[in-house]
Amino acid sequence: MMQNEILALIPRYLPMGIIIYDKEGKLKYLNAVALDMFGTTIEKVYNINLFDDPNIGHHDKAKLKQWQDISFETDYDFDRCRQFYDSEFVHTHKYFVTKITIMRDEHDQPQGYLLNCEDVTQKKAQQQQLLDSYKRVELMQRELALALDAGMLTSWDYQISTGKLSKFTGSPQGDEQWSFESIRDRVHPHDRNAFLGLLDLVAHGQHPSQSNLELRVRNINNEEYRHYNFVYNVREDENGNPAGITFIQRDITEDVIYRENLIRAKNRAEEADKLKSTFLASMSHEIRTPLNSIVGFSQLLSDANDADEKREYKRLIDINSEILLKLIGDILDLSKIEAGSIDILRKPLNLNHLTNELYQSFKQRLTSPNVTMRLVDPYAHCVAQMDMHRFIQVFTNFVTNAIKYTPQGEIVMGYECSPGRVRLYVRDTGIGIPDKKRERIFGRFEKLDDFAQGTGLGLSICKAIADVTGAEIGFSSQENVGSEFWFIVHTQVDYTLKSAPGDTDKDPVVVAPEAKMHKHQVKDLNILVAEDNDSNYLLLKTILKDNNLTRAINGAEAVEKAKTQTFDIIFMDMKMPVMNGLEATALIRQFTTTPIVALTANAFNADRDEALAAGCNHFMTKPVNVDELMELLSGL
Ligand code: ADP
């Protein structure tokens, strides 16, 4: 083929429409692509005039007339061109990009128009699709931002390759970028390992087992840490390898505070419940202990003939009645305080007289010969505006405690005045209060010492009195050295010092009664009585006077005695110092089958079960029923 002929083939194979018009604008040539594009034949379009083409605007036509090149994009409506030429396309639109170039000869003279035309309909549709998708994504982003905002959520994305975190904003300006370090430093030091561990795991291509993380994170503006819950999802690349993590962050600070408050309230309620139960059990024990003596000695009293004997029983009944009354008084006081209605009646009170009277009566209560008591009263005259009942109550509680917790040494009671204030105090050389128990001392129902008689109410009543009257209460104490309890009343006071201020009295009082008789016929039994309370032991000793009684004052002593001596029966009090009755029973059971009778003021079924489980054969509650006791012994 000749070179020119080859060249003539080019328009046929060009991937675009080629149309040639002569210089008058008459169509002279269309290549095959152009025929396909316009759906026509050469016969139908031959000689149609370029300037009749309705798709070319006036402006462009003017340019063509002045032999200028033009290019334009047309939304080509075939129906509109029906007048211009005949096409097979009906109701059809296409997009064409057209360029019209002026063809010139070697003298630069225009010879015609070359029109090349590209069908961009498909490209245009794809572009539109892309545009629609982009708009949809934009809308979704805006909706997502709104939803996150409404749910007070934040979305983060961690990208492994860059090590950066981006915070989703939903704004067209794009997301906020954060360096990994700036975020890490805001995570609470205690939670940092969990956070770093997760990123590390994912960076090493592994999938975490959980999808949830709770972290404390510091706010950017201040030092406050807030609690956040992060739900996360590992993002993968096209090869299925972890590429990053998407986090949804929710502020749960309020939830955490609420949760913590609930737990605290639950613990408080449980604690209060426990205290109430302990208080009830302790109350039952405390009531039954003096009641045991009252009932027991009353029974003996009715059988007694001897006048001395009767007097002794009556004295013991009186002492225990007083204890019982005090207890009931305490309970009543407590319920009044709880109801917020304790009466305070301030009247001129002669402290000089009152403290001396109290001292005389307190002296009588000393139970140990190793303890002395004195009053420090440096005033010849002292009158203060005070509530007498409350004054006595506080002093009595302090002194009663001092007597209870001072096995030897001295108890000093006294008061000091200065303008506008009276300070009363009780100092002892007793067992003192261990540091770890200090803060509980004024707590309601708190008995730091399980075996000592008391309800755990005395000091809390004093504290309540202080609170209600605007007084102050406190103590200083050293374990095994002693304690001083004080109470300061802010009030008007009138006083004159004695010329030679001095202490009074040193007068230990000991209770050691001996009782004698009983009508029952049980005789000559060897009985071990483990009992720390003197009155209770005395009662048993009196009831069982025809038998050989050995006393142990605590569980450990009972075990020791049961090991070295032989007994027919053992009476075991459950609540004792050093070692309680349950422990002692369990130990004794390891080496002897001697019957053990649990004798206790704890009357609950649980106590009975515990005692029997520890190895007791019988369980008797105080107050002791003499007949029941005798029946038990006569059956031995
Ligand atoms: P209770 O009626 O049981 O004695 P209180 O409220 O008066 O109750 O005292 C509470 C606890 O404080 C006591 O169980 C005891 O352990 C301790 N306590 C009070 N006073 C003294 C003191 N003078 N010496 C040592 N401990 C004391």
Side-chain angles (χ1 to χ4, degrees):
M1 227 185 279
M2 295 294 295
Q3 199 181 2
N4 278 350
E5 286 171 9
I6 295 172
L7 287 176
L9 286 175
I10 292 175
R12 198 190 297 171
Y13 293 99
L14 274 178
M16 58 174 59
I18 303 275
I19 307 168
I20 295 174
Y21 293 90
D22 67 12
K23 57 182 173 190
E24 269 77 45
K26 287 188 184 148
L27 193 146
K28 293 297 174 190
Y29 172 79
L30 264 97
N31 72 349
V33 178
L35 288 173
D36 281 352
M37 278 168 76
F38 293 99
T40 190
T41 58
I42 188 71
E43 293 76 26
K44 287 181 184 169
V45 292
Y46 195 77
N47 271 344
I48 61 167
N49 198 298
L50 176 64
F51 295 98
D52 295 336
D53 188 340
N55 293 297
I56 304 174
H58 294 300
H59 195 64
D60 278 341
K61 280 178 184 162
K63 277 186 177 171
L64 290 174
K65 283 209 165 123
Q66 288 163 19
W67 305 113
Q68 289 177 25
D69 295 352
I70 59 162
S71 56
F72 54 93
E73 190 181 315
T74 357
D75 175 4
Y76 201 95
D77 182 354
F78 281 87
D79 291 348
R80 207 169 140 228
C81 298
R82 192 99 20 239
Q83 302 289 328
F84 182 40
Y85 70 96
D86 195 16
S87 166
E88 67 188 44
F89 298 130
V90 183
H91 305 329
T92 307
H93 273 270
K94 286 192 182 186
Y95 285 94
F96 294 138
V97 172
T98 309
K99 186 165 190 254
I100 303 177
T101 315
I102 310 300
M103 295 186 295
R104 297 172 189 273
D105 62 13
E106 62 269 29
H107 308 293
D108 208 24
Q109 288 306 306
Q111 295 303 324
Y113 302 92
L114 172 69
L115 190 144
N116 60 56
C117 189
E118 192 186 352
D119 184 349
V120 292
T121 313
Q122 218 173 352
K123 225 195 240 172
K124 199 87 179 164
Q126 279 167 351
Q127 252 175 17
Q128 191 57 44
Q129 246 174 19
L130 217 63
L131 207 70
D132 288 349
S133 308
Y134 180 73
K135 276 189 182 149
R136 251 206 328 276
V137 168
E138 210 180 43
L139 185 72
M140 270 161 60
Q141 274 200 333
R142 273 209 304 274
E143 284 173 355
L144 181 62
L146 211 65
L148 289 174
D149 218 34
M152 294 198 286
L153 304 171
T154 311
S155 169
W156 291 90
D157 189 74
Y158 171 67
Q159 191 161 6
I160 296 174
S161 59
T162 60
K164 284 211 163 121
L165 284 130
S166 54
K167 182 178 169 187
F168 175 77
T169 59
S171 93
Q173 281 78 44
D175 295 343
E176 280 176 27
Q177 299 297 326
W178 293 77
S179 75
F180 159 72
E181 289 77 13
S182 65
I183 297 291
R184 179 200 57 197
D185 293 348
R186 282 169 52 198
V187 175
H188 192 285
H190 289 168
D191 298 343
R192 223 168 264 170
N193 278 349
F195 175 60
L196 299 181
L198 171 69
L199 301 193
D200 197 48
L201 194 79
V202 175
H204 283 86
Q206 290 177 28
H207 280 267
S209 55
Q210 289 183 338
S211 57
N212 215 295
L213 190 65
E214 234 180 87
L215 300 176
R216 279 160 292 176
V217 182
R218 194 158 40 81
N219 285 358
I220 189 84
N221 300 327
N222 55 38
E223 291 296 304
E224 186 203 3
Y225 280 100
R226 293 190 69 82
H227 294 258
Y228 295 97
N229 181 271
F230 292 87
V231 179
Y232 55 82
N233 197 1
V234 175
R235 202 163 35 73
E236 290 175 348
D237 62 16
E238 52 279 8
N239 303 320
N241 297 322
I245 313 174
T246 307
F247 295 93
I248 299 288
Q249 171 191 0
R250 185 164 70 91
D251 189 333
I252 54 163
T253 311
E254 307 305 322
D255 298 359
V256 170
I257 293 173
Y258 184 66
R259 193 169 66 196
E260 282 172 357
N261 282 347
L262 264 183
I263 292 172
R264 224 171 285 133
K266 178 173 160 278
N267 288 345
R268 263 206 305 271
E270 278 172 3
E271 182 69 11
D273 196 47
K274 217 165 70 196
L275 280 177
K276 284 251 154 69
S277 309
T278 318
F279 172 68
L280 245 147
S282 144
M283 205 51 89
S284 160
H285 182 270
E286 299 309 323
I287 290 173
R288 279 168 181 273
T289 303
L291 209 58
N292 178 45
S293 298
I294 296 169
V295 173
F297 285 113
S298 302
Q299 279 181 344
L300 294 178
L301 188 66
S302 61
D303 297 340
N305 302 320
D306 184 85
D308 281 352
E309 196 183 331
K310 281 188 176 172
R311 208 172 306 115
E312 185 52 32
Y313 293 163
K314 191 173 166 310
R315 197 181 68 80
L316 289 168
I317 291 169
D318 287 347
I319 291 174
N320 284 287
S321 304
E322 203 184 312
I323 293 173
L324 199 57
L325 276 176
K326 157 94 173 71
L327 183 72
I328 290 164
D330 274 3
I331 301 170
L332 282 178
D333 248 13
L334 182 83
S335 56
K336 272 197 203 162
I337 294 166
E338 277 191 334
S341 63
I342 57 166
D343 308 322
I344 304 297
L345 206 68
R346 288 194 180 204
K347 284 200 300 200
L349 192 65
N350 188 328
L351 294 187
N352 201 244
H353 279 172
L354 187 60
T355 49
N356 274 284
E357 266 176 32
L358 285 176
Y359 168 66
Q360 294 305 329
S361 115
F362 291 154
K363 261 195 330 186
Q364 308 300 321
R365 298 192 188 179
L366 283 177
T367 48
S368 162
N370 303 325
V371 181
T372 56
M373 185 184 277
R374 72 190 162 97
L375 168 72
V376 178
D377 176 13
Y379 304 101
H381 154 86
C382 177
V383 175
Q385 286 285 334
M386 283 173 109
D387 181 310
M388 184 175 77
H389 183 55
R390 301 301 158 198
F391 181 87
I392 295 174
Q393 203 173 9
V394 171
F395 238 141
T396 309
N397 270 319
F398 285 178
V399 172
T400 313
N401 281 343
I403 293 173
K404 265 197 289 191
Y405 302 109
T406 308
Q408 60 186 27
E410 187 186 37
I411 297 171
V412 180
M413 58 179 276
Y415 67 104
E416 298 157 345
C417 300
S418 52
R421 110 186 185 144
V422 176
R423 177 184 188 270
L424 59 101
Y425 62 88
V426 175
R427 200 162 51 227
D428 64 52
T429 56
I431 60 171
I433 294 149
D435 283 351
K436 60 177 189 290
K437 295 186 173 172
R438 278 166 178 270
E439 61 198 45
R440 286 164 42 199
I441 203 103
F442 293 111
R444 214 161 272 184
F445 309 137
E446 288 285 6
K447 271 186 77 174
L448 309 185
D449 193 331
D450 239 10
F451 57 83
Q453 204 168 42
T455 55
L457 293 179
L459 289 178
S460 53
I461 289 175
C462 295
K463 171 83 168 63
I465 294 171
D467 290 346
V468 170
T469 57
E472 294 166 50
I473 189 168
F475 70 97
S476 55
S477 182
Q478 203 181 335
E479 206 174 350
N480 298 324
V481 175
S483 316
E484 176 176 324
F485 280 81
W486 50 260
F487 194 87
I488 297 172
V489 185
H490 299 279
T491 188
Q492 206 184 323
V493 55
D494 222 21
Y495 58 95
T496 38
L497 281 165
K498 278 178 191 163
S499 43
D503 299 347
T504 55
D505 234 316
K506 282 191 183 190
D507 191 6
V509 179
V510 187
V511 181
E514 277 298 321
K516 294 170 211 154
M517 249 218 45
H518 198 270
K519 70 170 182 185
H520 292 279
Q521 291 308 309
V522 179
K523 270 187 167 184
D524 299 328
L525 290 174
N526 288 322
I527 301 174
L528 173 62
V529 179
E531 172 63 81
D532 64 316
N533 181 289
D534 288 343
S535 284
N536 283 344
Y537 176 67
L538 204 61
L539 177 64
L540 271 180
K541 195 173 161 190
T542 313
I543 297 170
L544 303 169
K545 70 178 178 53
D546 295 328
N547 300 276
N548 310 318
L549 258 63
T550 305
R551 181 183 180 188
I553 57 158
N554 60 48
E557 216 177 283
V559 176
E560 207 41 52
K561 293 212 157 119
K563 236 183 225 166
T564 50
Q565 298 173 44
T566 310
F567 296 102
D568 298 307
I569 192 161
I570 299 169
F571 286 101
M572 184 71 75
D573 182 29
M574 290 288 113
K575 203 168 183 180
M576 286 183 292
V578 185
M579 182 190 287
N580 69 28
L582 285 178
E583 278 175 68
T585 303
L587 288 176
I588 291 171
R589 269 291 160 264
Q590 290 177 9
F591 56 81
T592 173
T593 53
T594 308
I596 301 177
V597 183
L599 204 56
T600 169
N602 293 334
F604 295 110
N605 280 343
D607 300 314
R608 172 189 296 270
D609 295 346
E610 259 183 357
L612 296 181
C616 291
N617 305 72
H618 304 277
F619 181 87
M620 290 177 84
T621 51
K622 299 173 185 176
V624 168
N625 181 315
V626 179
D627 291 333
E628 197 187 327
L629 185 71
M630 286 305 163
E631 203 177 310
L632 179 84
L633 292 179
S634 52
L636 281 180

